[in-house]
C-alpha cells in the first residue's frame, strides 16, 4: 500500500513569523544623538577618559588654591631642623604678631612658611652621634632637599630667608649677588654696625628684637641667620609692592619696628 504524503484538504500549512514585541526597541537605531555617542565612544573612549582625568585634576587643584589663603608674606627656612605641624602653626602666629600691618587688608596676617631640611657634613656627623648606632640619615633625601631649595630660590617667590650658618655660606658662595646688604634694607647704622649683625648681609636671629619675647621663634637653632635677597626679575619678588612688604617684614623681625 502506498501512502500519499500530500496534505489533504483538511490540513493547514502554518508559517510562524516571530516579531519583536513593543519592549524590544533599539534606541541607537532611532536616536541620532545616541548613534553619534555610540560611534564616538567606540573610537575615542581612551581619549575621553584621559582628558576627563586632567580636567578633574585641574579643577581639584583650582579648588585647593581657592581654599588656601593668599599669604601676606613668604619666609623660607633651610637648615637641619625639621618643624612639626604644631611648631609651624605657632611660628606662623608669631610672625603674624610681628607683621607690621595686614598687607593685603583681608583681615588676616598670614605668613607662608617654606621649609627645606638640609644638613652639612658636620651636622650629619653630630646627628649620627646623637641618634646612636640605630640612627641613619637619608643622604638621598638631603641631596633632594638641597636641589629643591636651589630651584625654589631661582623663581624669586621668597625674599626673607632663615638659614643655618652652613646654608648661609652656601648661598653666599653659590648665588653670587643675590643677597641684599643690610644697609639697603635698614639704612646706615649709626656706628656702622647693626645690633646682632653676622656680616653685611645677615643678622643672628637670637639677637633680634622679637626673639627675646616670642617663644615660638626659639624653635630655630641658635645659629640661624636672617637675610634678604634682592628682587628677582620673576616671581612674586619682582612685584614692587610685594617686595616692599617683604622689606617691612624683615625690618620688623630684625629691629622690632
Amino acid at each position: 500500500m502506498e501512502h500519499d504524503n500530500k496534505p489533504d484538504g483538511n490540513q493547514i500549512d502554518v508559517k510562524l513569523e516571530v516579531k519583536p514585541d513593543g519592549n524590544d526597541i533599539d534606541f541607537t537605531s532611532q536616536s541620532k544623538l545616541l548613534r553619534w555617542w555610540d560611534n564616538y565612544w567606540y573610537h575615542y573612549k581612551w581619549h575621553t577618559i584621559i582628558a576627563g582625568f586632567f580636567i578633574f585634576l585641574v579643577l581639584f587643584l583650582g579648588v585647593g588654591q581657592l581654599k588656601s589663603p593668599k599669604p601676606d608674606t613668604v619666609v623660607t627656612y633651610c637648615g637641619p631642623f625639621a618643624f612639626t605641624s604644631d611648631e609651624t602653626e605657632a611660628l606662623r602666629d608669631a610672625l603674624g604678631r610681628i607683621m607690621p600691618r595686614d598687607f593685603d587688608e583681608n583681615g588676616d596676617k598670614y605668613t607662608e612658611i617654606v621649609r627645606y631640611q638640609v644638613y652639612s657634613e658636620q651636622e650629619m656627623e653630630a646627628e649620627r652621634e646623637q641618634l646612636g648606632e640605630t640612627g641613619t640619615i637619608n643622604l638621598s633625601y638631603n641631596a633632594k632637599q638641597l636641589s629643591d631649595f636651589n630651584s625654589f630660590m631661582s623663581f624669586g617667590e621668597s625674599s626673607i630667608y632663615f638659614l643655618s650658618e652652613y646654608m648661609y655660606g652656601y648661598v653666599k658662595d653659590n648665588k653670587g649677588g643675590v643677597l641684599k646688604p643690610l644697609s639697603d634694607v635698614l639704612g646706615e647704622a649709626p656706628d656702622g654696625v647693626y645690633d646682632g649683625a653676622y656680616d653685611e648681609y645677615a643678622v643672628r636671629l637670637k639677637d633680634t628684637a622679637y626673639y627675646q619675647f616670642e617663644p615660638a621663634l626659639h624653635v630655630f637653632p641658635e645659629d640661624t641667620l636672617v637675610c634678604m635677597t634682592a628682587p628677582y626679575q620673576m616671581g612674586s619678588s619682582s612685584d614692587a609692592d610685594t617686595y616692599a612688604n617683604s622689606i617691612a617684614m624683615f625690618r620688623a623681625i630684625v629691629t622690632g619696628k
Side-chain angles (χ1 to χ4, degrees):
M1 178 181 293
E2 294 183 2
H3 295 279
D4 189 356
N5 292 327
K6 295 181 181 181
D8 58 24
N10 297 323
Q11 290 181 319
I12 301 174
D13 185 10
V14 178
K15 295 182 179 179
L16 297 177
E17 182 177 355
V18 179
K19 295 183 178 181
D21 59 26
N23 296 324
D24 298 329
I25 301 174
D26 184 1
F27 288 100
T28 58
S29 66
Q30 297 187 22
S31 170
K32 292 182 179 180
L33 178 61
L34 290 177
R35 285 202 306 272
W36 173 86
W37 173 253
D38 188 56
N39 181 66
Y40 173 86
W41 187 250
Y42 179 79
H43 290 94
Y44 300 105
K45 177 174 68 175
W46 289 110
H47 301 76
T48 304
I49 291 173
I50 294 171
F53 170 77
F54 281 106
I55 290 172
F56 170 79
L57 186 63
V58 169
L59 291 175
F60 177 80
L61 294 176
V63 171
Q65 288 292 324
L66 291 175
K67 290 183 178 179
S68 300
K70 182 180 178 181
D72 290 270
T73 189
V74 179
V75 302
T76 303
Y77 170 76
C78 188
F81 184 72
F83 294 83
T84 66
S85 58
D86 288 343
E87 288 169 337
T88 302
E89 288 306 311
L91 178 59
R92 181 175 288 113
D93 290 342
L95 292 171
R97 291 189 291 271
I98 294 170
M99 194 178 299
R101 65 182 183 277
D102 180 9
F103 295 128
D104 59 11
E105 299 181 344
N106 69 347
D108 183 23
K109 293 181 177 180
Y110 184 83
T111 301
E112 181 178 344
I113 302 171
V114 183
R115 298 159 295 170
Y116 297 96
Q117 188 179 21
V118 179
Y119 290 87
S120 67
E121 289 292 337
Q122 292 79 6
E123 289 164 343
M124 284 186 190
E125 188 60 35
E127 187 74 5
R128 289 191 188 98
E129 292 179 3
Q130 184 176 348
L131 294 173
E133 295 181 359
T134 59
T136 59
I137 294 177
N138 190 328
L139 298 180
S140 296
Y141 177 77
N142 196 64
K144 178 68 164 53
Q145 286 282 283
L146 179 58
S147 175
D148 290 348
F149 173 74
N150 282 323
S151 297
F152 178 80
M153 280 202 77
S154 67
F155 287 106
E157 289 299 324
S158 179
S159 300
I160 301 174
Y161 285 84
F162 294 79
L163 303 174
S164 66
E165 283 193 32
Y166 167 72
M167 283 308 304
Y168 175 74
Y170 174 88
V171 169
K172 195 173 179 181
D173 293 342
N174 294 279
K175 307 284 185 182
V178 72
L179 295 175
K180 193 170 183 67
L182 293 174
S183 58
D184 290 354
V185 183
L186 306 177
E188 293 294 336
D191 56 358
V193 179
Y194 301 95
D195 293 338
Y198 179 79
D199 61 10
E200 69 270 31
Y201 299 106
V203 173
R204 289 181 290 270
L205 178 62
K206 67 178 181 178
D207 293 331
T208 59
Y210 275 107
Y211 186 86
Q212 309 305 321
F213 55 88
E214 276 291 358
L217 296 180
H218 297 178
V219 298
F220 288 108
E222 287 196 353
D223 69 342
T224 301
L225 303 175
V226 192
C227 58
M228 276 199 73
T229 55
Y232 280 52
Q233 297 300 314
M234 60 188 297
S236 60
S237 68
S238 64
D239 179 76
D241 290 338
T242 300
Y243 191 74
N245 293 340
S246 296
I247 289 178
M249 185 66 179
F250 182 83
R251 285 174 179 164
I253 294 169
V254 174
T255 67
K257 300 177 182 179

